Amino acid sequence: AASVYEKKPLGRNLLKNPAPQGATLDQPPPEPKLSEVPPAPHQPALIPQGDYAGWSTSAEEFHYEEVRVPEGVVVCYMPRFSWFTLEQRVDLKAEGLWDELLDHFQPDIEIEDWYEESQVHESIYQLQVQLLGADGQTVISEHVCNPREDLENYSHTWKQVSHTFSSYGPGVRYVHFLHKVKNSFMVEVRSTLVTGSSVKVKPSKSGL
C-alpha cells in the first residue's frame, strides 16, 4: 500500500476526470452551433458527447405538461428536455486518508463545481453531495443545491457552485458527488455543460 506521503490526499482534487465534456474554465462556454441538417426530433441523443471515464451516467427524458399553445398557433416542434446525471464516489481511505484524521480532526471537505448558463430553462443544474459512513449508505452530512436561472437577462458564462463541509462528525469514509444538468431538444439539441468539478480534503479545519 502506498504511503500517505506518496498519495498526498490533502489539498488535491479527489474526483477523477473533472471535465468530462472537454470544457475548461479558461475559455467561455462554447456558443451553440446550428447544424445544416438538424437531428430528427424524435431521436434525441440523451447522452451528450464526452469522455465519462470515472463517472456513472444516466439520462431521463421528460416533457413539461404546463406548456400551453395559444389557440390558432401552429407548432411544428414542442420542446423536450432531459436530465443528464453524472455521479462519482470517492473512497477517502483508498485516497490515503486515515480514521483518526477523519474522525477526530475532521478536516474541511471543499466541494466546487461550475455549470454553463445554457438558457434552456430556469432550472438547468442540480447538485447533491453526501458524506457517507463505512457502509457506503449511511448519510452523515449532505449538501443540496438547486439554483434558479434568470431568463429575463441573457447571460452565457460559467457559474460557480461551492460548499465546505466542516465539523461533520465522526465516521465519514466516502464522498458521493452527484450533479444533474438539463438538456433541451427541439429542432436542435442544446446541452448544459459542466466543468471544474472537485472534492478536496483540506489540511485545516474551520475555526482554527
Side-chain angles (χ1 to χ4, degrees):
S3 69
V4 171
Y5 178 77
E6 292 172 330
K7 290 195 172 184
K8 295 181 171 61
L10 298 173
R12 68 175 172 87
N13 189 2
L14 302 180
L15 287 180
K16 299 176 176 63
N17 191 15
Q21 294 166 314
T24 58
L25 293 171
D26 56 7
Q27 296 289 332
E31 292 297 324
K33 296 180 180 180
L34 298 179
S35 59
E36 295 181 4
V37 181
H42 60 283
Q43 295 179 331
L46 295 181
I47 305 296
Q49 289 186 338
D51 173 12
Y52 299 108
W55 294 92
S56 297
T57 62
S58 60
E60 177 187 7
E61 185 181 358
F62 62 93
H63 301 262
Y64 278 110
E65 300 297 336
E66 66 266 23
V67 173
R68 297 286 185 265
V69 179
E71 187 176 351
V73 173
V74 177
V75 177
C76 296
Y77 301 112
M78 290 292 287
R80 302 161 70 186
F81 299 90
S82 75
W83 280 113
F84 178 47
T85 301
L86 302 92
E87 54 190 311
Q88 191 171 146
R89 179 168 296 195
V90 176
D91 183 336
L92 295 174
K93 293 186 69 174
E95 294 294 343
L97 296 155
W98 59 100
D99 293 352
E100 185 178 2
L101 179 79
L102 293 169
D103 293 342
H104 299 289
F105 186 70
Q106 296 174 26
D108 287 352
I109 300 176
E110 291 187 351
I111 309 300
E112 184 175 310
D113 203 18
W114 297 77
Y115 70 95
E116 172 196 10
E117 287 183 297
S118 61
Q119 301 280 321
V120 302
H121 189 256
E122 64 178 5
S123 173
I124 56 175
Y125 173 90
Q126 295 180 5
L127 173 70
Q128 180 191 56
V129 183
Q130 296 177 327
L131 305 186
L132 304 176
D135 62 359
Q137 296 181 342
T138 301
V139 178
I140 295 174
S141 187
E142 180 178 44
H143 175 70
V144 176
C145 178
N146 185 14
R148 310 296 284 186
E149 307 302 312
D150 177 13
L151 300 183
E152 297 295 323
N153 300 296
Y154 180 79
S155 177
H156 188 212
T157 61
W158 294 112
K159 297 188 76 172
Q160 183 187 34
V161 178
S162 62
H163 178 72
T164 299
F165 290 99
S166 59
S167 302
Y168 37 78
V172 172
R173 298 294 182 267
Y174 299 92
V175 179
H176 193 86
F177 182 101
L178 179 152
H179 55 193
K180 295 182 177 183
V181 286
K182 188 171 292 179
N183 302 325
S184 69
F185 314 93
M186 200 155 58
V187 176
E188 293 286 341
V189 177
R190 183 73 178 96
S191 298
T192 301
L193 302 178
V194 285
T195 191
S197 308
S198 70
V199 171
K200 294 181 180 179
V201 179
K202 307 299 288 185
S204 59
K205 60 187 295 185
S206 298
L208 293 182

